[in-house]
């Protein structure tokens, strides 16, 4: 059994800016500690102030370098920044490979920055299942901005849009799948496009292609709609940071002016509640799977005495206690 934590003390220390308390809460969140509901209840009154920015895109576009560039620029403005770098899981330990964190070591000693690598642990969509709760921890800790850097999984990493106020999609010239990824669905989640490595040949063509795609996507659009800006950067040299931050500010102002920020956060809360409910239902189903009920129903389906829908109805009735 996991040892009980003094949640009240941890939350108090987190509010006072203790990095150790923040790290401890994040560990409890990642481990799915039994006190997680208590932790969420204690943190929630202190949340809602951080701006949540997601960075996503195909592998190799420089997400970690761009995150580091934004970190530097935000710190120059006096902002406290929390970073959740979602890494692929180790096939052996299930832990994060920490590649993203290694590339941000220059910020490791900055008291205004907190960087945490989190393992996906098999969760698809570019994020860890614990990411929403981890965002809540950093928000309650008083960070002005929380950056979420997703796994570089290409066309499937669209879960970030459910968590972020603003989603930045990074692309780079010379990558054949870059625009294809946009066509396949990344275009729809982007609030800001960043074309990194813009000093390379083909950068102008990438920007041109994106402008055409954006123009095509806006056909038939009526009423107020955000037009995604395209910002060229050379993140390794810090070029374009000011322009990216301006695009983020413009988008936040637009969200606020049109009531979209509140709507997005409501959608985010809905998805989180649904995910928690489904997780609990799966746990209950697992308990039934360990017993004789599911095995008996499965045997009847295999013997063609019962159809699978009727068997599923019987299993759901058991979950409901009917």
């Amino acid at each position: 059994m996991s040892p009980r934590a003094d949640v009240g003390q941890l939350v108090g220390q987190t509010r006072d800016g203790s990095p150790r308390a923040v790290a401890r809460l994040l560990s409890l969140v990642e481990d799915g500690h039994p006190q997680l509901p208590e932790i969420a209840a204690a943190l929630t009154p202190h949340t809602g102030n951080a701006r949540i920015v997601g960075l996503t895109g195909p592998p190799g576009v420089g997400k970690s370098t761009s995150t580091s560039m934004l970190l530097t620029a935000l710190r120059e403005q006096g902002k406290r920044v929390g970073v959740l770098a979602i890494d692929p899981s180790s096939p052996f330990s299930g832990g994060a490979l920490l590649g993203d964190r290694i590339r941000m070591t220059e910020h490791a000693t900055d008291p205004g920055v907190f960087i945490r690598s989190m393992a996906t642990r098999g969760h698809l969509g570019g994020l860890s299942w614990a990411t929403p709760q981890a965002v809540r921890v950093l928000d309650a800790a008083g960070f002005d901005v929380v950056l979420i850097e997703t796994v570089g999984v290409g066309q499937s990493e669209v879960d970030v849009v459910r968590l972020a106020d603003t989603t930045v999609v990074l692309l780079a010239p010379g990558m054949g799948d870059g625009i294809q990824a946009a066509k396949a669905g990344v275009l729809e989640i982007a609030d800001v496009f960043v074309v990194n490595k813009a000093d390379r040949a083909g950068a102008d063509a990438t920007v041109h292609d994106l402008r055409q795609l954006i123009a095509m996507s806006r056909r038939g659009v009526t009423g107020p709609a955000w037009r995604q800006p395209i910002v060229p950067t050379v993140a390794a040299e810090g070029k374009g940071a000011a322009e990216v931050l301006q695009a983020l500010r413009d988008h936040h102002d637009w969200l606020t002016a049109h009531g979209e920020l509140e709507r997005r956060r409501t959608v985010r809360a809905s998805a989180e509640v649904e995910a928690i409910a489904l997780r609990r239902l799966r746990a209950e189903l697992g308990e039934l799977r360990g017993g004789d009920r599911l095995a008996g129903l499965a045997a009847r389906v295999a013997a063609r005495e019962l159809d699978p829908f009727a068997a599923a109805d019987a299993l759901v009735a058991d979950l409901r206690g009917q």
Side-chain angles (χ1 to χ4, degrees), residues 103-139:
R103 286 189 285 272
M104 287 184 264
T105 51
E106 63 186 280
H107 303 284
T109 59
D110 186 342
V113 173
F114 188 95
I115 302 171
R116 178 72 170 224
S117 289
M118 298 179 65
T120 56
R121 300 189 182 184
H123 186 84
L124 299 178
L127 296 179
S128 160
W129 75 269
T131 306
Q133 297 302 326
V135 169
R136 179 170 283 109
V137 172
L138 295 179
D139 190 357

Side-chain angles (χ1 to χ4, degrees), residues 50-52 163-167 191 251 255 261 264-265 268:
R51 289 171 55 190
I52 316 301
L163 276 180
D165 299 327
T166 300
T167 299
D191 297 308
H251 185 246
L255 290 173
L261 183 62
R264 288 192 178 196
R265 292 186 172 182
R268 179 192 310 168

Side-chain angles (χ1 to χ4, degrees), residues 179 202-216 230:
I179 300 300
D204 291 342
T206 301
V207 171
H208 174 75
D209 289 345
L210 280 172
R211 284 177 178 158
Q212 285 193 317
L213 286 171
I214 291 170
M216 291 173 60
I230 304 169

Side-chain angles (χ1 to χ4, degrees), residues 46-70:
H46 307 294
T47 59
N49 298 311
R51 289 171 55 190
I52 316 301
V53 178
L55 292 96
T56 189
V61 295
K63 290 191 292 296
S64 295
T65 307
S66 297
T67 300
S68 183
M69 178 186 73
L70 290 180

